[in-house]
Amino acid sequence: MRVAVILCCAMLCAAEKISATVVVPEDEPPLVREAFRRAARALARVEAYRAAFVVELESLKGSIIITGMIAQQPPFAFRREAWMEERNGTTRKRELTVCDGTNGWQIEYAPNGKVLTASRWTRQAMEELFYVFAQNSQLLMLTHDRTNTYLGIRRLVRFERVQALRGGWELWGHERPETPAYQEVLRVAEAYGAEGISNYVAQEVRLTISAEGIPVRYERVNAYGRPIERMVLDEVRVNPVLPGGFFQAVVPTGVMVMDLDRALDAQELRLRHALLGSNAPPLRVQYSSGKQVEFKPGTQPMVATFFLTINPESRAFVRALDKVYQAHNTKVKFVTIAVGVDSKGLARYARAAQLTLPLYCDEKREAARAYLIRTLPCALVLDACGVVVDAINASAPEAIATLEERLRTL
């Protein structure tokens, strides 16, 4: 993966474990849902794994094959060694990406062993980078909490059939045509006519999960029955003994190294949130009086804001949000949640802040986990149907203006 891709696609994720009880597609058949539930339960017992992998990609831009080794020790420690080449042999390079959970290194080598690029990061950027690595590796990497590994693919694919297979599961389904990813592939393929659609739009998706809950095979198949994308894990070893220093590397001397901590310092305005395009779950929070309350999305547009009372950027955003609330509260529900603070702490903050918008607390971070919050402060915008239509990084300078513009479109 190129450093440029990392900088363009950086996403935030929380270091704490996210609950596996998140919103899943409502149209999944019961047997499919049960298979994923069992896979998640098996994955919870995986402390580490190591495997060889092969990835084959067929696209309008050519054919690529990637081979290598992947190892993980959740939440954030991993090592990925990959050889990448086009099938005609015009491009061939080796990439090493390794992180011990705090410090990470990425080095790209030419076929002759010369270092082409090198970058390094620390914990400051780790939470932003992890989901980029996971996304780049598709299903070959577990998410940092393991049990939510299949959540993303279930929102892209409707799995319809499942069969028990040697202690694991094999599932078949079709890509969801309403997703932006599918629409973009279809748009490009249609430009090539019927042949483009037959060759490059998936007609079926197949997923194989091992008894340990690890995805070991994933295929997207075209109209001719040929894989457009195939990912296979082989020689899988679960909970192996890994050598000391396995998740560490040495940045080459004499090579200019990019500092990703600094490169990612600029705040991204919009977040690639996992719930985008999905129905949000009920929101259970607490008044400053201590009374519990539940908000069920789907009755009117909603802005769900998560913030920290001790964070200056959070406090500044909530002060500005108060004016947005005064302008839009007749049509939009505002649920503004202080994360990690109890009702007494929220009451003290509310008295000092003197805001007009209602405030709630999420002392045990249950609401933040249910909404997959990976950066604070942030604001999620839900439409009248309860679908998350925007995720705004509330630390970004244009956050309030962007939120107001989005509310005018609801």
Side-chain angles (χ1 to χ4, degrees), residues 332-408:
V332 179
K333 184 71 176 178
F334 286 77
V335 183
T336 307
I337 305 163
V339 178
V341 66
D342 60 16
S343 56
K344 292 182 179 179
L346 177 62
R348 287 194 298 270
Y349 169 77
R351 286 194 297 269
Q354 296 183 338
L355 303 172
T356 61
L357 82 170
L359 299 173
Y360 310 90
C361 65
D362 181 24
E363 180 181 0
K364 296 182 180 180
R365 301 175 182 261
E366 293 175 350
R369 286 195 293 269
Y371 270 62
L372 303 178
I373 299 304
R374 297 170 182 136
T375 184
L376 292 168
C378 75
L380 301 185
V381 181
L382 286 62
D383 66 14
C385 296
V387 175
V388 179
V389 295
D390 212 341
I392 299 171
N393 181 354
S395 297
E398 300 298 320
I400 285 293
T402 302
L403 176 59
E404 288 188 297
E405 180 180 353
R406 172 50 107 166
L407 293 182
R408 285 193 289 269

Side-chain angles (χ1 to χ4, degrees), residues 97-157:
T97 308
V98 58
C99 181
D100 61 11
T102 301
N103 298 288
W105 301 262
Q106 186 173 70
I107 307 169
E108 183 178 303
Y109 300 89
N112 62 4
K114 181 181 178 180
V115 174
L116 299 175
T117 63
S119 56
R120 185 174 183 175
W121 65 91
T122 65
R123 184 69 187 205
Q124 178 180 337
M126 182 64 250
E127 294 182 3
E128 296 189 47
L129 291 172
F130 180 80
Y131 268 100
V132 178
F133 298 132
Q135 182 185 39
N136 184 68
S137 296
Q138 301 293 334
L139 289 173
L140 298 182
M141 280 183 67
L142 309 179
T143 57
H144 71 284
D145 65 321
R146 292 164 290 177
T147 54
N148 283 335
T149 292
Y150 299 103
L151 183 60
I153 199 66
R154 292 164 76 183
R155 289 180 176 147
L156 294 175
V157 177

Side-chain angles (χ1 to χ4, degrees), residues 96-269:
L96 169 65
T97 308
V98 58
C99 181
D100 61 11
T102 301
N103 298 288
W105 301 262
Q106 186 173 70
I107 307 169
E108 183 178 303
Y109 300 89
N112 62 4
K114 181 181 178 180
V115 174
L116 299 175
T117 63
S119 56
R120 185 174 183 175
W121 65 91
T122 65
R123 184 69 187 205
Q124 178 180 337
M126 182 64 250
E127 294 182 3
E128 296 189 47
L129 291 172
F130 180 80
Y131 268 100
V132 178
F133 298 132
Q135 182 185 39
N136 184 68
S137 296
Q138 301 293 334
L139 289 173
L140 298 182
M141 280 183 67
L142 309 179
T143 57
H144 71 284
D145 65 321
R146 292 164 290 177
T147 54
N148 283 335
T149 292
Y150 299 103
L151 183 60
I153 199 66
R154 292 164 76 183
R155 289 180 176 147
L156 294 175
V157 177
R158 185 184 189 274
F159 289 99
E160 298 151 351
R161 295 181 293 133
V162 60
Q163 178 180 339
L165 183 67
R166 296 181 182 178
W169 304 268
E170 191 163 31
L171 301 103
W172 297 266
H174 296 86
E175 293 184 342
R176 298 178 182 273
E178 70 275 11
T179 63
Y182 182 90
Q183 291 295 322
E184 178 61 20
V185 171
L186 183 63
R187 182 185 66 82
V188 175
E190 282 181 333
Y192 289 84
E195 195 66 11
I197 295 175
S198 297
N199 278 285
Y200 299 110
V201 175
Q203 300 299 309
E204 185 178 54
V205 178
R206 305 168 185 167
L207 171 65
T208 305
I209 303 174
S210 73
E212 295 81 12
I214 295 174
V216 292
R217 190 179 187 91
Y218 176 71
E219 288 185 333
R220 296 170 57 243
V221 181
N222 67 14
Y224 300 111
R226 296 193 297 266
I228 304 170
E229 184 176 22
R230 174 190 285 149
M231 290 165 278
V232 179
L233 282 186
D234 196 13
E235 302 173 17
V236 180
R237 296 168 56 196
V238 176
N239 299 334
V241 177
L242 300 172
F246 188 70
F247 296 113
Q248 296 178 337
V250 177
V251 177
T253 58
V255 175
M256 187 167 64
V257 179
M258 174 176 280
D259 184 339
L260 288 180
D261 291 323
R262 292 186 179 181
L264 291 172
D265 188 53
Q267 297 286 354
E268 289 196 15
L269 177 59

